[in-house]
Amino acid sequence: MSNYEDDSESEMGRYGMDRPPSSYGSMQSDDHEDEGEDDFEELAYMPQTRVRLNRPDSPETAITERTNTNQSSIYKDGLVLRQPTSHIGESHAFYSINREPSIVDPSFVDPSEVQSEIRTEAVMDEEPNNRDADGDMQEQQNENAEMEVQAEQTEETKEEDDFDEKVVPYDEPNVPPPIPEEGLGLQFQHKHGSLTLRHVLRQMVGCLSKLYPAEISYFKRCLSTHCRFRKNYPRIADLHDPLDLADKMIEICGMGEALHLTIRSLQNVGKEGLAEYLRKSCRRAVLQHDLKQAHDRRYYSLYEGRCRPGQQRYISDVYVEPVTVIRGTREPINLENEVKRIPYTIEETQIRAADIFRPLPSDLKPIRTIMMTGIPACGLTVAVNKFIMDWVEEKNNQDFQFVFPLPAKELHLGKDADQSFLETLGSFFAEADDIKFIEKPDCLSLFIIDALELCKHNLDFKNNEVVSSIRTKAPLHAILTSLIKGTLLPNARVWITSHITALHRVPPELIDRYIELRGFTDEKKQEYFTKRTPDPELGVKVYNHMKRSKALEIICHLPLFSWMVAFIFERGFRDPEYGKHPPGITAFYSQYIVVQMNRSFEKYRGCSVEAQKWRDEDKMFIEMMGKMSYRMIVDGRDWFMVDDLSGVHLTYEDLRSRDELTTEVKRKSEDVRTWVFKFVHITVQEYMAAMYVYVAYRKHGKNVIEPSKMAWLQGTNKDRPVIDLYRPAIDRALASPNGHLDMFLRFLIGLVTPGTEDNLRGYLLNHYHPKAKGTEEVVKYINKKKKENIHPDRLRNLELCLVELEEGKEGS
């Protein structure tokens, strides 16, 4: 029997002596006072661990000696005899950072005790051909003993195998963590022991310490093929101590990447058993690293408006945190416009976007399920992306070990057959395949169901099957309802985002907290315009020019509208003469309608070329919504119901599949006819009404404002001078006592100029439609009305109407 075990233990003890405790980023090798002595120790260590035969003349000479190994490998520097490839049942000593005694796996079998199966012909000839009964009895006893050992090991590791991780003891801190500041989210717990640097480093060193010197060299050569180590290879080339090597790897590329590379390189050197052991003992750290890598690739960039190749921006360069409140009784629509000025104040409890799961002093239990809502274009999806990236970059919400986004738009793309929750999760995240330990109480995970309005599954919380195990196969809709209800993974957290239209698909008793995004305040607008451009002076110019129009300043509380204004103004200021006149607003609303309709097509139809084409029913939808908007303005109301849709030959399904312009604000019962809707802003309604009136006159030859005058001529001449339309429109607006037609008139006049009418060509007007005639007469009529004794507010509005005409001419 070889004394390999005793020598190796003494050698491990020698490694652990006379070295101070190390820490990440500062671990160094032994004192190099006497290099010759170190070389001697290394040479003295090698014969105790392996046999090296240098035979350059005949490297294929047969091995005639009986050795205590049964496998050989040929390296470039000679023939090397090595122990058999380790498997997950073998010993892997945990090399303690504080140089504590090694903890040896109970299933360890010393290589010196394994009888070699390699025999030369001479040795085989010396063995007797017949076997006596004692040999058979000994073999039977060995088999029985082996079965007993396997049964004991199976019983000991049953729980570990069930959860796909090897549980290693670690010390939990006794002192509670400090209460985090606002904006850091849910960070009320110590980091899980298996995710700490101490644990990962200890496991890496323990596995690397099982390699022989030549294997360490091969291990480092495998590392050199990675991009991070091509230029940093000299920093690890001379490191032979496992602790120094592991420490330097973590210093160069971080804990998660170092762990990933260690597992991969161990596989490359033929140590699959060590690699598998390291993967299981650091299973959570490996999964967290893989998830962060996947999230970083998917969510680091942001498309503003529509998704166009090459138009993405890094999310941290453009993201400004919107106003986030715990939902109260206030209506989600901002009711302020240039005429009806209502201060944009926060009435509900305001909360930081990262703190949505943070309990308030009045909360008696943890917040498990959150519903976040908001009107279209308020930035729900962007808020989710920024939350995920902040978690990836370890800025906040580090209590969550794993974050799994489940886009509702993609949930129906899975298999139709029943499947378990683990299979469903694995279809979205290959990194999370078969993570049974997610059921453990100490595994806090977050599941984000984004855009619930796009979910096509039947979320029947009363009749759907109840699922309580992640291994139970069930329909996907049953898995979703069970996850939200908490029967499945009760220790996890669930975050649902949805337009208000789909808010009621989840019963309110299952939601612990309702959150709403309110958009930008004035301070946030300024931050956005100055942050998104590399030139701060240009950002200040854009912001100041935007503020010259009160209408734009108000509507820019919507992040999407702020992007449109910033994008157009940044290009405009390339011209030194740009910015002398106040900005027009009509062109922005024209493009806003087109962008929002295209976004609806992407959500409900897909991103293919055919899906993005405007169909006849889409153009008809815009016209009919404009017709309904005009009726609402005439009646003096800003809300509509399903009966109003029926009055213009539309249905609720038409509205639901193009939900980027309107939102639900009130639901009295489950009867859809009682639901109340509004446009995302009152100015959107006023623009839609003006667009309908203008298109009806230019495309169909109908004067909607004076339908009775010369009715027999309407529809016969589509190229009449526009003064016939604008004269009665101006008169009606000036006669309004409260100015409710002022914005309508401004949009209507702004549409006549070529620079703004071109935005409708190809959508509501033909590409080769003749240009409008008689715009000079419109200017003369407005100047004539300005000289009359009219209300100062009406006079100001006429001046802004002239600005729309001038601004439109500049864009032609």
Side-chain angles (χ1 to χ4, degrees):
M1 182 71 67
S2 172
N3 61 351
Y4 172 83
E5 183 175 359
D6 297 334
D7 292 340
S8 62
E9 290 182 354
S10 63
E11 190 69 17
M12 289 291 290
R14 185 182 63 79
Y15 262 69
M17 293 172 57
D18 300 329
R19 290 190 57 178
S22 302
S23 61
Y24 170 59
S26 63
M27 300 181 184
Q28 303 294 334
S29 299
D30 293 334
D31 296 335
H32 300 286
E33 296 178 357
D34 189 353
E35 297 181 357
E37 183 179 353
D38 294 339
D39 296 339
F40 174 79
E41 290 180 357
E42 182 178 355
L43 293 175
Y45 176 67
M46 288 176 57
Q48 299 176 358
T49 57
R50 70 184 312 173
V51 179
R52 178 181 296 277
L53 302 178
N54 294 317
R55 300 179 178 178
D57 296 334
S58 56
E60 299 180 357
T61 303
I63 301 174
T64 57
E65 291 185 351
R66 183 161 187 160
T67 66
N68 64 341
T69 60
N70 63 357
Q71 189 175 359
S72 65
S73 296
I74 299 178
Y75 290 81
K76 293 182 179 179
D77 51 354
L79 181 64
V80 176
L81 301 180
R82 66 181 183 180
Q83 68 183 68
T85 301
S86 303
H87 295 284
I88 193 61
E90 297 178 293
S91 166
H92 310 296
F94 303 116
Y95 199 59
S96 173
I97 300 175
N98 293 330
R99 301 304 189 268
E100 300 168 353
S102 300
I103 303 173
V104 182
D105 192 292
S107 61
F108 173 80
V109 180
D110 194 282
S112 61
E113 298 178 359
V114 180
Q115 298 297 325
S116 174
E117 296 178 1
I118 302 178
R119 293 174 171 82
T120 59
E121 295 181 1
V123 175
M124 295 293 293
D125 292 337
E126 294 176 359
E127 294 183 353
N129 294 329
N130 57 337
R131 301 198 172 199
D132 52 12
D134 294 337
D136 295 337
M137 183 179 299
Q138 182 67 28
E139 182 178 357
Q140 182 66 29
Q141 292 177 355
N142 292 339
E143 291 178 359
N144 295 337
E146 183 179 355
M147 293 177 62
E148 292 177 1
V149 171
Q150 289 179 354
E152 292 176 0
Q153 292 179 354
T154 302
E155 188 172 309
E156 292 175 357
T157 60
K158 181 178 180 181
E159 181 179 358
E160 299 175 3
D161 293 340
D162 285 345
F163 292 105
D164 192 39
E165 66 172 344
K166 190 173 185 64
V167 180
V168 178
Y170 47 81
D171 297 331
E172 290 285 354
N174 297 325
V175 181
I179 298 177
E181 300 177 358
E182 291 187 6
L184 296 181
L186 197 64
Q187 295 187 186
F188 290 84
Q189 301 177 6
H190 287 291
K191 182 177 290 188
H192 191 270
S194 64
L195 296 172
T196 60
L197 174 63
R198 173 185 175 86
H199 172 80
V200 173
L201 180 61
R202 185 176 181 178
Q203 300 306 310
M204 288 176 59
V205 174
C207 290
L208 292 178
S209 65
K210 307 306 294 182
L211 301 181
Y212 298 141
E215 292 172 334
I216 288 287
S217 299
Y218 188 20
F219 177 87
K220 290 185 291 185
R221 288 198 297 269
C222 293
L223 287 178
S224 65
T225 61
H226 191 267
C227 59
R228 286 186 180 270
F229 287 96
R230 287 173 185 169
K231 61 179 181 180
N232 292 297
Y233 182 70
R235 300 174 62 182
I236 64 172
D238 298 331
L239 298 179
H240 302 286
D241 182 77
L243 178 58
D244 291 337
L245 179 57
D247 173 53
K248 188 60 66 174
M249 290 176 60
I250 295 176
E251 180 182 344
I252 292 174
C253 58
M255 184 184 75
E257 187 71 10
L259 179 60
H260 169 76
L261 292 177
T262 300
I263 295 175
R264 191 180 72 173
S265 299
L266 285 174
Q267 293 172 340
N268 291 339
V269 300
K271 296 294 184 180
E272 289 82 3
L274 284 175
E276 180 65 13
Y277 177 84
L278 183 58
R279 186 190 72 85
K280 280 202 170 187
S281 61
C282 300
R283 183 69 172 96
R284 301 194 190 197
V286 172
L287 174 59
Q288 190 179 85
H289 168 262
D290 293 343
L291 275 180
K292 288 183 176 181
Q293 292 285 90
H295 293 343
D296 186 67
R297 290 190 297 267
R298 181 167 185 176
Y299 298 107
Y300 84 97
S301 61
L302 171 68
Y303 287 96
E304 297 176 296
R306 292 184 61 197
C307 298
R308 294 183 181 275
Q311 299 297 320
Q312 65 269 29
R313 304 279 298 276
Y314 183 54
I315 189 170
S316 294
D317 292 342
V318 296
Y319 177 80
V320 173
E321 183 180 326
V323 176
T324 308
V325 299
I326 297 178
R327 187 183 182 190
T329 58
R330 182 188 166 197
E331 193 174 282
I333 302 295
N334 180 12
L335 302 177
E336 182 185 10
N337 67 0
E338 191 166 342
V339 178
K340 185 180 180 181
R341 300 183 181 180
I342 301 175
Y344 183 63
T345 58
I346 302 302
E347 301 173 357
E348 300 90 344
T349 303
Q350 190 169 350
I351 190 173
R352 296 289 299 273
D355 294 337
I356 56 176
F357 282 95
R358 185 187 183 115
L360 297 178
S362 58
D363 293 326
L364 302 178
K365 63 178 182 178
I367 306 300
R368 181 187 184 272
T369 308
I370 283 181
M371 175 72 77
M372 177 178 281
T373 63
I375 63 175
C378 70
L380 284 174
T381 300
V382 177
V384 170
N385 293 3
K386 187 61 169 63
F387 186 99
I388 295 173
M389 286 305 302
D390 285 344
W391 177 79
V392 169
E393 297 171 0
E394 300 185 1
K395 293 181 180 179
N396 51 44
N397 286 287
Q398 293 306 294
D399 280 359
F400 293 122
Q401 298 177 25
F402 312 109
V403 176
F404 298 101
L406 302 175
K409 181 180 179 181
E410 303 172 7
L411 289 176
H412 69 282
L413 300 178
K415 297 185 299 183
D416 295 333
D418 293 354
Q419 54 185 340
S420 67
F421 179 80
L422 283 182
E423 293 173 340
T424 303
L425 198 61
S427 63
F428 282 93
F429 303 96
E431 304 85 0
D433 184 31
D434 200 29
I435 51 170
K436 303 182 182 68
F437 60 84
I438 200 172
E439 282 187 303
K440 289 186 176 181
D442 64 349
C443 184
L444 184 60
S445 304
L446 172 63
F447 296 90
I448 305 176
I449 304 176
D450 187 25
L452 184 66
E453 69 275 6
L454 302 180
C455 182
K456 298 182 179 180
H457 293 279
N458 179 27
L459 301 181
D460 188 349
F461 288 87
K462 294 182 179 180
N463 301 319
N464 280 354
E465 176 185 350
V466 177
V467 181
S468 58
S469 173
I470 59 176
R471 303 176 184 86
T472 303
K473 293 183 179 295
L476 185 54
H477 58 81
I479 292 177
L480 288 177
T481 53
S482 299
L483 178 64
I484 296 174
K485 289 167 63 176
T487 59
L488 182 65
L489 297 177
N491 297 307
R493 302 290 189 268
V494 180
W495 178 11
I496 308 171
T497 69
S498 173
H499 285 178
I500 301 177
T501 307
L503 184 66
H504 301 277
R505 296 188 66 181
V506 180
E509 60 269 16
L510 299 179
I511 304 298
D512 295 321
R513 177 178 288 175
Y514 285 92
I515 302 292
E516 282 192 5
L517 293 187
R518 294 295 191 190
F520 291 157
T521 59
D522 292 339
E523 294 78 11
K524 297 294 184 180
K525 296 171 191 174
Q526 183 176 6
E527 181 183 354
Y528 175 79
F529 284 109
T530 54
K531 182 179 182 179
R532 72 179 309 277
T533 173
D535 184 3
E537 294 183 359
L538 177 60
V540 173
K541 286 182 180 179
V542 170
Y543 176 71
N544 292 334
H545 190 56
M546 178 272 296
K547 289 194 67 177
R548 298 178 68 183
S549 172
K550 186 64 179 178
L552 287 183
E553 185 180 5
I554 295 172
I555 192 62
C556 278
H557 78 282
L558 295 176
L560 180 64
F561 216 100
S562 292
W563 160 72
M564 293 180 57
V565 172
F567 184 78
I568 293 175
F569 282 178
E570 285 173 4
R571 293 192 301 174
F573 274 106
R574 296 173 185 173
D575 183 1
E577 300 297 323
Y578 187 80
K580 292 183 178 180
H581 304 286
I585 62 175
T586 309
F588 289 104
Y589 281 83
S590 301
Q591 297 178 21
Y592 178 79
I593 299 300
V594 173
V595 168
Q596 289 294 74
M597 287 293 291
N598 289 335
R599 283 160 57 91
S600 293
F601 300 159
E602 289 179 358
K603 286 173 57 177
Y604 294 99
R605 298 180 189 172
C607 298
S608 64
V609 176
E610 289 298 323
Q612 291 296 297
K613 290 183 178 180
W614 281 60
R615 304 169 182 172
D616 292 339
E617 55 267 27
D618 301 322
K619 301 175 183 179
M620 183 61 64
F621 173 80
I622 292 295
E623 287 193 43
M624 294 299 100
M625 289 295 290
K627 183 177 182 179
M628 184 186 68
S629 301
Y630 180 71
R631 292 179 178 178
M632 292 164 58
I633 289 179
V634 172
D635 296 340
R637 57 188 174 95
D638 59 357
W639 52 270
F640 64 93
M641 303 177 72
V642 174
D643 289 342
D644 297 305
L645 292 173
S646 303
V648 291
H649 309 292
L650 294 178
T651 64
Y652 171 71
E653 290 300 320
D654 296 328
L655 184 70
R656 191 187 64 82
S657 61
R658 303 172 182 88
D659 61 353
E660 294 295 321
L661 299 176
T662 60
T663 183
E664 178 186 335
V665 295
K666 187 180 296 184
R667 178 178 295 200
K668 299 178 181 179
S669 66
E670 293 301 320
D671 187 0
V672 68
R673 293 173 297 180
T674 63
W675 300 352
V676 181
F677 302 88
K678 286 188 177 183
F679 286 89
V680 294
H681 194 258
I682 183 64
T683 52
V684 176
Q685 173 190 335
E686 292 165 329
Y687 172 81
M688 294 286 288
M691 183 184 62
Y692 162 72
V693 173
Y694 184 78
V695 171
Y697 185 84
R698 295 278 287 128
K699 185 178 181 180
H700 306 292
K702 298 179 181 180
N703 192 335
V704 177
I705 297 179
E706 288 188 341
S708 60
K709 186 177 181 180
M710 301 180 67
W712 59 276
L713 287 176
Q714 293 189 14
T716 60
N717 186 2
K718 301 178 182 179
D719 196 21
R720 291 184 297 165
V722 292
I723 187 62
D724 294 340
L725 173 67
Y726 286 115
R727 187 182 294 110
I730 294 173
D731 294 340
R732 285 197 179 187
L734 295 178
S736 172
N738 57 2
H740 74 288
L741 295 177
D742 283 1
M743 294 298 297
F744 165 78
L745 178 64
R746 196 187 308 177
F747 287 128
L748 184 60
I749 292 178
L751 285 167
V752 74
T753 55
T756 51
E757 188 185 71
D758 289 345
N759 294 314
L760 302 180
R761 294 185 182 274
Y763 299 104
L764 301 181
L765 295 178
N766 297 327
H767 281 289
Y768 302 103
H769 199 83
K771 293 185 178 181
K773 298 179 180 179
T775 54
E776 298 82 1
E777 297 296 326
V778 177
V779 175
K780 292 179 181 179
Y781 192 76
I782 292 176
N783 289 326
K784 175 184 176 182
K785 289 296 181 180
K786 286 175 59 179
K787 297 177 182 180
E788 298 179 0
N789 186 17
I790 59 177
H791 193 278
D793 290 341
R794 308 293 85 73
L795 176 61
R796 173 60 178 166
N797 191 64
L798 289 180
E799 294 174 351
L800 293 175
C801 288
L802 293 177
V803 169
E804 294 297 322
L805 289 173
E806 293 297 326
E807 189 75 9
K809 289 181 180 179
E810 289 181 4
S812 61

